[in-house]
């Protein structure tokens, strides 16, 4: 079996952090094939570290390096999270262009490549993840590695007109062409990237995902990420899940329940979602007092200013809606700014009548898939899904909405709450079938299959 060297900003070095879909997928792949997982330790230090912390777990070697405070500010905070993240999520207005930060970003990519190079052996494949490491393939080539390197982008790839707003777009794209396989979440992302390469770098499509560009031939394809579907369905009936459901049941007191679960991020459309909830209570007096909405949104990247502002905005909006509509024994919209155990989330999803997944942009959105897998076939809840979430490309059984249109989202919620059982079951079955067929093993297998065949294809 081909050994894998995985590189991502955060790894699953601690067993506790292996709970999420991606961490589990990469971990399973590494355990099966053997290999290394290289990334940031999560700590910052004064002076650039010479080495890295390494340890072995079940035959997988973890190689973690600290970042200097300067690297953290330039590479992580400014370039990755205040340039690439907003632009790739179509928010050019939120980008903080900064060429020094790009230098720090390129510097960390090169330093990680240098750290990785001695760990890569002939016959290995290298699998790089996400927007922190767009340049890493090129950096590894500079370190002399000629073997297969794959890259998977977890977030959207924007339309070329938006990507070009990034001053370093040409440099980034040229570096990306050093990868052998580039994977995107949706057909829309893949075609955006290919259109950009065609218009700006003279790329030609050869068929079956093969693209000739800048004197190289690479595979550029769509690999929609999935979840460990069966596992999540089991989690939803676990004791811990049932306990969580019982506890929230006490609070609901027989009312209907709608749930949203997101990291706090402007891409997730939370203020727009809160507005829609307000509109629902405005337009439909029948649901006043009869529905409670709970939004779970733990803070993320709290050092980024935009996130602090968003938190304030959400506190105000929730306060206003509860002030306007709430009653002595009813809180219309609950907002819990903390993280929950996966089993607890699964239990909450299971008893919800409505799942609200309404990002303004999202690479895939795994919460949509988790919500579906947690449902009870005998009485499934309804998924309301933004047309701008990558998952909407494949999840036909959802009610697909434009998250900017608060009135339409409110109507979709009302429609979901009043939908007859047979229609709910039909929609749910269709959703479940896709999610089970396109699960995390399917995703990983497809990607690694193309990556291990990359040398033949070339
Ligand atoms: P995220 O932006 O983090 O991921 P998402 O795909 O929804 O978005 O994954 C979040 C994960 O964290 C889910 O498994 C969810 O259950 C969990 N989670 C969220 N809030 C939580 C909470 N309060 N407590 C505990 N767990 C919570 C990025 C991209 C996505 C892409 C994924 C995977 O932005 O578009 O789908 O990577 O590729």
């Amino acid at each position: 079996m081909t050994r894998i060297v995985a590189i991502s900003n955060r790894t699953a070095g601690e067993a506790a952090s292996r709970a999420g879909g991606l961490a589990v997928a990469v971990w399973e792949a590494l355990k099966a094939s053997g290999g290394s997982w290289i990334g940031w330790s999560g700590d910052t230090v004064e002076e650039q570290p010479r080495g890295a912390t390494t340890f072995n777990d079940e035959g997988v070697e973890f190689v973690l390096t600290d970042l200097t405070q300067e690297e953290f500010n330039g590479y992580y905070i400014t370039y990755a999270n205040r340039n690439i993240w907003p632009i790739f999520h179509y928010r050019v207005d939120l980008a903080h262009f900064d060429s020094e930060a790009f230098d720090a970003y390129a510097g960390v990519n090169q330093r990680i490549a240098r750290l990785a190079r001695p760990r890569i052996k002939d016959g290995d494949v290298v699998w790089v993840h996400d927007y922190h490491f767009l340049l890493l393939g090129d950096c590894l080539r500079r370190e002399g590695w000629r073997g297969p390197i794959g890259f998977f982008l977890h977030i959207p790839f924007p339309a070329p007109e938006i990507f070009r707003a990034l001053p370093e777009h040409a440099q980034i794209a040229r570096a990306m062409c050093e990868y052998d396989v580039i994977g995107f979440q949706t057909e829309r992302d893949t075609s955006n990237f290919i259109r950009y390469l065609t218009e700006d770098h003279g790329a030609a499509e050869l068929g079956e995902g093969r693209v000739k560009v800048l004197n190289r031939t690479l595979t550029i394809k769509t690999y929609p990420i999935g979840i460990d579907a069966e596992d999540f369905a089991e989690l939803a009936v676990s004791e811990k899940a049932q306990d969580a459901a019982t506890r929230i049941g006490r609070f609901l007191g027989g009312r209907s329940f709608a749930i949203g679960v997101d990291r706090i991020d402007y891409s997730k459309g939370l203020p727009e979602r809160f507005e829609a909830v307000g509109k629902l209570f405005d337009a439909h007096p029948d649901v006043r007092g009869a529905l409670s909405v709970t939004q779970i949104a733990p803070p993320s990247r709290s050092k980024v200013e935009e996130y602090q502002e968003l938190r304030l905005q959400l506190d105000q909006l929730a306060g206003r809606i509860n002030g306007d509509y709430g009653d002595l024994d009813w809180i219309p919209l609950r907002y819990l700014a903390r993280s929950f155990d996966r089993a607890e989330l699964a239990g909450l999803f299971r008893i919800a009548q409505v799942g609200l997944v309404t990002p303004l942009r999202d690479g895939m959105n795994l919460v949509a898939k988790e919500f579906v897998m947690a449902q009870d076939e005998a009485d499934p809840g309804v998924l309301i899904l933004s047309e701008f979430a990558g998952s909407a490309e494949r999840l036909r059984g959802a009610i697909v909405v434009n998250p900017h249109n608060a009135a339409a989202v409110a109507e979709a919620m009302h429609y979901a709450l009043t939908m007859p059982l047979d229609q709910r079951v039909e929609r749910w079955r269709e959703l479940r079938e896709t999610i089970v067929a396109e699960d995390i093993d399917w995703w990983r297998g497809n990607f690694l299959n193309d990556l291990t065949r990359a040398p033949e294809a070339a």
Side-chain angles (χ1 to χ4, degrees):
M1 198 174 219
T2 313
R3 249 177 49 100
I4 301 168
V5 176
I7 302 175
S8 54
N9 181 59
R10 296 310 301 274
T11 71
E14 294 143 33
S17 61
R18 272 173 221 150
L22 165 70
V24 172
V26 176
W27 171 243
E28 293 295 328
L30 282 169
K31 262 198 316 189
S33 62
S36 305
W37 196 343
I38 298 159
W40 174 34
S41 64
D43 293 327
T44 53
V45 288
E46 284 301 310
E47 304 232 324
Q48 197 170 91
R50 290 215 187 92
T53 309
T54 59
F55 55 90
N56 266 277
D57 194 359
E58 299 196 43
V60 178
E61 180 197 31
F62 285 88
V63 182
L64 308 180
T65 179
D66 300 337
L67 292 178
T68 65
Q69 194 57 44
E70 228 180 309
E71 285 175 329
F72 174 73
N73 289 336
Y75 147 80
Y76 182 78
I77 295 282
T78 309
Y79 205 76
N81 287 322
R82 297 185 87 184
N83 275 281
I84 301 176
W85 180 273
I87 288 174
F88 281 37
H89 287 88
Y90 291 74
R91 293 298 303 270
V92 178
D93 59 312
L94 292 180
H96 289 72
F97 299 105
D98 179 339
S99 62
E100 277 177 31
F102 179 71
D103 293 342
Y105 178 84
V108 171
N109 273 247
Q110 194 64 49
R111 190 155 80 74
I112 298 284
R114 223 171 289 135
L115 194 64
R117 181 65 190 93
R119 269 118 187 150
I120 309 171
K121 302 184 176 54
D122 282 346
D124 288 357
V125 296
V126 181
W127 191 7
V128 180
H129 289 267
D130 228 0
Y131 63 101
H132 312 91
F133 291 131
L134 296 169
L135 310 177
L136 207 118
D138 183 44
C139 297
L140 269 178
R141 299 295 183 215
R142 287 170 207 262
E143 297 296 320
W145 172 247
R146 296 276 152 261
I149 317 177
F151 174 78
F152 184 77
L153 185 67
H154 290 262
I155 66 175
F157 190 87
E161 293 72 17
I162 303 280
F163 181 52
R164 288 189 195 104
L166 202 58
E168 301 81 13
H169 67 88
Q171 209 172 332
I172 290 174
R174 276 196 294 270
M176 286 175 75
C177 290
E178 289 297 328
Y179 288 115
D180 297 295
V181 177
I182 300 183
F184 294 103
Q185 299 272 29
T186 67
E187 296 297 342
R188 177 165 41 201
D189 303 316
T190 304
S191 74
N192 281 342
F193 187 57
I194 294 179
R195 181 157 74 84
Y196 167 80
L197 290 181
T198 308
E199 290 173 0
D200 286 35
H201 303 278
E205 289 185 71
L206 308 176
E208 292 183 4
R210 302 290 291 161
V211 174
K212 194 167 179 350
V213 58
L214 301 167
N215 293 323
R216 291 196 87 244
T217 303
L218 50 149
T219 298
I220 302 176
K221 273 170 58 174
T222 308
Y223 306 86
I225 197 166
I227 61 167
D228 192 340
E230 303 293 0
D231 190 69
F232 203 83
E234 276 171 34
L235 203 59
V237 291
S238 65
E239 207 180 311
K240 214 169 191 176
Q242 287 174 15
D243 282 352
T246 309
R247 281 178 60 203
I248 202 150
R250 251 181 256 141
F251 157 77
L252 290 170
R255 293 186 180 90
S256 299
F257 176 43
I259 189 166
V261 173
D262 310 74
R263 278 185 305 103
I264 288 200
D265 191 294
Y266 46 80
S267 67
K268 302 290 183 186
L270 296 172
E272 290 78 2
R273 191 178 305 168
F274 284 16
E275 292 285 358
V277 169
K279 283 242 169 0
L280 170 70
F281 292 125
D282 249 350
H284 293 281
D286 56 313
V287 292
R288 284 186 212 152
L291 167 75
S292 273
V293 181
T294 291
Q295 174 65 49
I296 294 177
S300 71
R301 302 173 198 154
S302 47
K303 293 204 172 63
V304 180
E305 238 171 74
E306 288 76 25
Y307 292 70
Q308 295 164 357
E309 285 164 22
L310 184 57
R311 171 71 205 260
L312 281 177
Q313 196 186 355
L314 293 177
D315 287 342
Q316 278 172 1
L317 273 171
R320 199 197 74 206
I321 289 167
N322 289 329
D324 283 353
Y325 302 98
D327 211 333
L328 295 177
D329 59 351
W330 174 54
I331 303 173
L333 173 63
R334 277 215 313 179
Y335 163 40
L336 304 174
R338 53 164 282 216
S339 194
F340 283 84
D341 187 273
R342 286 177 72 68
E344 292 178 314
L345 287 182
L348 301 182
F349 288 154
R350 188 171 177 86
I351 60 155
Q353 280 74 36
V354 180
L356 290 169
V357 180
T358 56
L360 306 182
R361 285 282 159 189
D362 217 330
M364 175 56 59
N365 196 299
L366 298 178
V367 171
K369 299 187 178 189
E370 292 167 352
F371 175 80
V372 170
M373 288 315 298
Q375 296 309 306
D376 176 1
E377 176 165 19
D379 185 18
V382 178
L383 175 64
I384 296 183
L385 182 59
S386 161
E387 64 180 280
F388 304 115
S391 43
E393 204 167 80
R394 307 280 306 139
L395 297 185
R396 305 269 180 234
I399 302 182
V400 176
V401 293
N402 173 354
H404 297 282
N405 186 346
V409 176
E411 284 317 304
M413 287 181 74
H414 194 257
Y415 180 53
L417 286 165
T418 52
M419 189 182 288
L421 178 65
D422 57 337
Q423 283 181 37
R424 283 189 278 127
V425 171
E426 196 180 321
R427 280 176 180 270
W428 177 78
R429 285 201 180 131
E430 192 180 347
L431 289 166
R432 181 185 181 280
E433 196 180 324
T434 308
I435 295 166
V436 170
E438 301 179 358
D439 71 354
I440 193 78
D441 294 334
W442 172 87
W443 169 77
R444 181 184 66 205
N446 285 343
F447 189 93
L448 288 176
N449 194 28
D450 284 347
L451 183 57
T452 45
R453 283 177 24 213
E456 293 164 39

